[in-house]
Amino acid sequence: MIFASGNFVNNMGEAAYKVGLPLFAYELTGSLATMSLLAALTPAMLLISPWLGAAVDRWGPRVFVVPGLLVQLVGAVSLNLVVLADHVSVGVLFGLTAMIQLGGEIYRMGWITGVPGMFPENAARSRAVLSSLFVTSNIVGPLLVAAGVGLVGYLGLMWFNAATFLAPIVVWLIGVHPPARTHTSGQKRPGLARSVVEGWHVVRAEKRVWYVQLTALPLHFVSGIGVLSFMVWYLRDHWHIAASGVSAAQAIANLGALAGSVYIAARARTRPRVVLAASAIVMTGALFLMALPSAWSFMACMVAFFTVRSAMTAVSAMIIVKYLPSEFVGRAEGLFNLMGGATVLLAPLLIPMVQGAWGSTAVLIMLGTSAALSLVCLARFWPRWTDTSAPPAATPEERTATSQ
């Protein structure tokens, strides 16, 4: 409970920042390209994840959590001081935002890979529960923006985000953190590059994990932060909805996301293929229907879109912990972050070009067509994808669920 509380407070600030920063950039520039490129910084940091994951598997997650938070804190405070002094420029905004995202990637890699060591009896479902709390923070964050932007402005919300970086540090200082990693003395360790290659072979060998991640790639492309920035811009620019209204709409959509994540976390056993198939169908249909000439229809589609997206991401996160050896979780997270990050990175780069050339409807058609590629992957992998081969030992919660 203590660990989850610190994690939740930090994520709540991040959620407010994730909505507030694009709106702040819109107020400064009014440019979709600037908003999209700022959004691209988050997936760009995922490109270094394989090496971070190999380093975590080597030295343990403890050495990444607090340093990552401190990098974020320094970057956030520096950005706020620049804005306060009215010296902000696009270059400074990009540089300090990149620093914040780098620290966030280091911190996330630390706490995510620390979950199996902290909760060894319930690792997979603990990961899913933390994902549900993350989605909950994404509901609270936009509501804070909607309520606070008129009271304290964007700068006040950015100071709030900086303060939330202290919550996990306090949790660490009172003694709640991953256990220390023990190493065999005299054991020769492979280089980071070779360690990444070893992780790749382990991931490829576990088909239950490999097929889920490949199938989810098109869905990551159409649901990354670049697409979220486009939706924010679309509501503001196309439908002329106020900033507080945009934040409230996103909070309502995230209620659906919470339902999707809680559904996965509450189940002792999941069926990844069924979840992915439902996600691909609903997300594809929602993106095409968003092109209808109705703001209410657009927001209803957002709710459906984020509901199944959250279920899909929860399943993708769970199965890594569930089916892979704990000593390879860091490398697996890093490799899949690289794959997903490269995919997500394309969206904020392509969306402004497509929108500028053919308009907003063309963007939605492009995204809907891309989401449909997951259905092609499912059709290809389904006959060779079994959930019964080499099953892992039942966890305590699964044994309890079976007996009940």
Side-chain angles (χ1 to χ4, degrees):
M1 291 296 294
I2 295 172
F3 177 80
S5 297
N7 190 262
F8 176 78
V9 171
N10 176 257
N11 287 334
M12 187 170 57
E14 289 278 1
Y17 174 79
K18 187 166 58 179
V19 177
L21 183 66
L23 291 172
F24 178 63
Y26 181 85
E27 295 293 331
L28 283 177
T29 66
S31 168
L32 174 61
T34 300
M35 294 173 66
S36 296
L37 290 174
L38 276 175
L41 291 174
T42 298
M45 293 303 164
L46 297 178
L47 302 182
I48 65 173
S49 282
W51 289 269
L52 284 178
V56 167
D57 285 342
R58 173 175 293 191
W59 291 297
R62 288 166 60 95
V63 298
F64 284 80
V65 175
V66 174
L69 289 165
L70 291 177
V71 171
Q72 282 189 293
L73 182 61
V74 171
V77 170
S78 300
L79 177 60
N80 294 348
L81 291 176
V82 168
V83 173
L84 188 63
D86 201 23
H87 291 157
V88 65
S89 65
V90 174
V92 171
L93 183 63
F94 271 89
L96 292 176
T97 301
M99 182 178 179
I100 296 170
Q101 297 300 339
L102 174 61
E105 182 60 22
I106 295 171
Y107 163 65
R108 280 188 293 273
M109 184 61 73
W111 81 255
I112 287 174
T113 55
V115 167
M118 295 185 70
F119 314 107
E121 297 298 321
N122 302 276
R125 293 184 70 188
S126 294
R127 181 69 180 88
V129 168
L130 289 168
S131 294
S132 297
L133 288 174
F134 172 75
V135 176
T136 305
S137 71
N138 282 341
I139 298 171
V140 178
L143 290 176
L144 290 174
V145 175
V149 69
L151 298 176
V152 299
Y154 294 113
L155 182 59
L157 293 170
M158 291 163 67
W159 278 114
F160 168 73
N161 176 50
T164 61
F165 295 140
L166 298 173
I169 297 177
V170 172
V171 169
W172 182 286
L173 292 176
I174 64 177
V176 180
H177 47 63
R181 177 69 57 84
T182 57
H183 298 288
T184 304
S185 59
Q187 182 180 6
K188 185 178 180 180
R189 300 172 182 173
L192 288 183
R194 182 178 173 184
S195 182
V196 171
V197 172
E198 289 178 354
W200 173 257
H201 291 315
V202 171
V203 166
R204 286 294 307 272
E206 180 48 80
K207 300 302 183 184
R208 290 168 294 190
V209 175
W210 179 242
Y211 288 157
V212 165
Q213 300 299 332
L214 286 184
T215 303
L217 281 180
L219 303 181
H220 288 311
F221 169 73
V222 303
S223 62
I225 193 169
V227 176
L228 175 61
S229 293
F230 170 74
M231 291 181 180
V232 169
W233 176 85
Y234 195 85
L235 289 170
R236 290 283 282 123
D237 193 81
H238 186 81
W239 296 115
H240 308 292
I241 297 176
S244 59
V246 173
S247 300
Q250 187 176 344
I252 294 171
N254 282 335
L255 286 173
L258 177 61
S261 182
V262 168
Y263 171 77
I264 299 300
R267 296 180 63 85
R269 292 185 182 273
T270 57
R271 301 176 65 187
R273 284 183 295 183
V274 175
V275 174
L276 285 173
S279 299
I281 293 170
V282 174
M283 291 172 73
T284 300
L287 287 165
F288 283 123
L289 291 174
M290 283 179 183
L292 294 175
S294 168
W296 290 108
S297 173
F298 186 92
M299 287 186 281
C301 289
M302 280 183 64
V303 174
F305 182 89
F306 283 107
T307 298
V308 296
R309 170 189 181 263
S310 183
M312 179 268 296
T313 54
V315 164
S316 300
M318 287 182 67
I319 62 169
I320 294 176
V321 176
K322 187 178 183 66
Y323 293 126
L324 293 178
S326 60
E327 62 269 23
F328 287 94
V329 168
R331 278 164 284 184
E333 288 280 353
L335 288 166
F336 291 136
N337 282 345
L338 174 62
M339 294 168 58
T343 304
V344 172
L345 185 59
L346 289 175
L349 301 178
L350 289 176
I351 286 173
M353 293 190 293
V354 174
Q355 193 277 330
W358 298 290
S360 302
T361 301
V363 173
L364 294 171
I365 293 173
M366 176 193 72
L367 294 174
T369 304
S370 300
L373 293 177
S374 284
L375 294 174
V376 177
C377 293
L378 279 168
R380 178 179 176 85
F381 297 143
W382 198 291
R384 296 180 289 160
W385 185 354
T386 61
D387 296 327
T388 57
S389 61
T395 60
E397 73 262 31
E398 290 173 342
R399 290 193 294 268
T400 301
T402 302
S403 65
Q404 292 174 346

